[in-house]
Amino acid sequence: MSHRRDFLRTVAVGGSSLALTAFARQATAIEPIARNGQPKFKFSLAAYSYRDLLLPKQGKPPQLTLKDFVDDCATFGLEGTELTSYYFPKETTADYLHALRQQCFRLGLDVSGTAIGNEFGHPAGEKRDAEIAKTKQWIDFAELLGAPVIRIFAGHQQKGQTEDEAHRLMVSAIEECCDYAGQHGVHLALENHGGPTATADGLLKFVRDVDSPWFGVNLDGGNFRGNDPYAELARIAPYALNAQIKAKVGGAPADFKRLAKVMRDANYRGYIVLEYEEPGDVRKECRRLLNEIREAFA
């Protein structure tokens, strides 16, 4: 993938039909992330799971802080904690990030990653510039936290755009942010999150077209809605930098053992992150589900 553009320039100069054929094969031959053939799983919890506890309600302050959430991750016996950007202070400082990183380290936790909400479908202008600037700011924050990966979205096709135009805009924004991320040792992982990434084919189109060694997939186990979501997850698993598992897959209770097989067959090495979205006592349910997930992935 990393040499597609150089090859295209060679083809343009040489004009060889043989070279064009070779390029066509290369452009569609997506290389999975290199693993060592031995799957390995660590476990984390997404702060998004605690959203009702971490956000103010009806003028009242949040019930918990991110520090409380990190404490719970340690109590649950996890190896990591995923610190979703939505629950950080509006004015996030380096001192705040350093304090969180110190807390995680002293509790024996990795910051397995963070996650942002972004929209890369905007055409050139202030909105697009703001989305790219926000992403770059969170790359800076991720570096300070010691987070190796940020979950990102592609965005949405805007009014008046063709599908191809929207795709090109999203790809170019992702590439610009990946270039910046690579300078800070941070990966960007694109989630299967509706819109142009609602299907495995849609997501893999970005994997094929985004030209950066700092780019990969954030596999979300609950977001495919087709007839066979497990089959779609199996198609994107070889490119996963991070994996978020939910209580439901395709609207039905998740088969954690089947999800474990999907990730094991892809030789995935990394974090399995619970992202809880169901009703109930979130702290109690997260503890229960994490125990089930760890048993299924053992």
Side-chain angles (χ1 to χ4, degrees):
M1 284 196 299
S2 61
H3 302 293
R4 284 196 302 268
R5 291 199 183 94
D6 291 341
F7 195 95
L8 183 57
R9 283 193 288 269
T10 302
V11 169
V13 172
S16 165
S17 61
L18 180 62
L20 284 169
T21 301
F23 171 72
R25 283 198 296 266
Q26 182 174 339
T28 57
I30 308 165
E31 293 296 329
I33 294 172
R35 320 280 192 188
N36 72 350
Q38 297 293 325
K40 179 180 180 180
F41 307 126
K42 298 179 287 184
F43 300 93
S44 183
L45 178 64
Y48 184 75
S49 306
Y50 276 39
R51 59 198 172 281
D52 290 336
L53 303 176
L54 293 171
L55 290 175
K57 279 188 174 181
Q58 300 175 340
K60 296 180 180 179
Q63 297 179 52
L64 299 178
T65 67
L66 276 178
K67 292 183 68 175
D68 298 319
F69 169 73
V70 169
D71 284 341
D72 274 8
C73 288
T75 299
F76 296 158
L78 297 171
E79 290 90 358
T81 179
E82 183 178 285
L83 302 177
T84 317
S85 67
Y86 311 154
Y87 314 113
F88 281 70
K90 187 175 181 180
E91 299 298 329
T92 298
T93 65
D95 286 345
Y96 178 84
L97 297 169
H98 289 155
L100 266 182
R101 182 172 181 172
Q102 180 186 44
Q103 180 192 5
C104 292
F105 176 72
R106 290 189 171 187
L107 290 173
L109 293 168
D110 296 333
V111 180
S112 61
T114 184
I116 64 172
N118 62 284
E119 173 57 72
F120 285 155
H122 292 302
E126 291 183 4
K127 289 183 178 180
R128 178 179 176 82
D129 292 345
E131 292 296 312
I132 291 173
K134 175 178 67 176
T135 304
K136 290 180 178 179
Q137 181 183 58
W138 268 96
I139 290 166
D140 292 338
F141 290 168
E143 183 180 23
L144 290 173
L145 283 169
V149 63
I150 302 175
R151 189 283 326 272
I152 64 169
F153 299 139
H156 300 84
Q157 184 176 342
Q158 304 295 304
K159 186 176 180 180
Q161 290 176 348
T162 66
E163 185 176 323
D164 286 345
E165 287 170 342
H167 179 75
R168 286 194 296 271
L169 284 165
M170 295 171 196
V171 167
S172 66
I174 292 170
E175 288 184 333
E176 179 178 340
C177 291
C178 281
D179 287 345
Y180 187 81
Q183 298 170 30
H184 297 266
V186 176
H187 293 81
L188 300 185
L190 180 63
E191 182 171 301
N192 49 311
H193 187 77
T197 61
T199 65
D201 283 338
L203 183 67
L204 291 174
K205 188 177 179 183
F206 285 93
V207 175
R208 180 194 70 204
D209 291 347
V210 173
D211 191 0
S212 173
W214 296 95
F215 177 71
V217 166
N218 184 84
L219 180 149
D220 189 301
N223 281 354
F224 284 140
R225 302 293 178 178
N227 293 330
D228 192 348
Y230 291 95
E232 290 198 89
L233 291 169
R235 290 181 62 199
I236 69 172
Y239 314 102
L241 297 171
N242 190 55
Q244 292 175 327
I245 302 301
K246 291 178 176 172
K248 291 185 177 181
V249 174
D255 183 337
F256 294 135
K257 288 188 177 180
R258 191 172 178 185
L259 287 169
K261 185 178 186 305
V262 166
M263 303 311 295
R264 194 174 291 113
D265 287 348
N267 291 320
Y268 176 76
R269 295 177 64 84
Y271 272 99
I272 304 296
V273 184
L274 173 63
E275 188 176 61
Y276 185 74
E277 295 186 336
E278 307 306 314
D281 183 334
V282 62
R283 299 171 98 173
K284 180 179 178 181
E285 290 302 304
C286 283
R287 183 194 289 269
R288 177 182 67 83
L289 286 168
L290 284 164
N291 287 337
E292 291 183 14
I293 290 168
R294 282 181 289 204
E295 181 179 352
F297 278 77

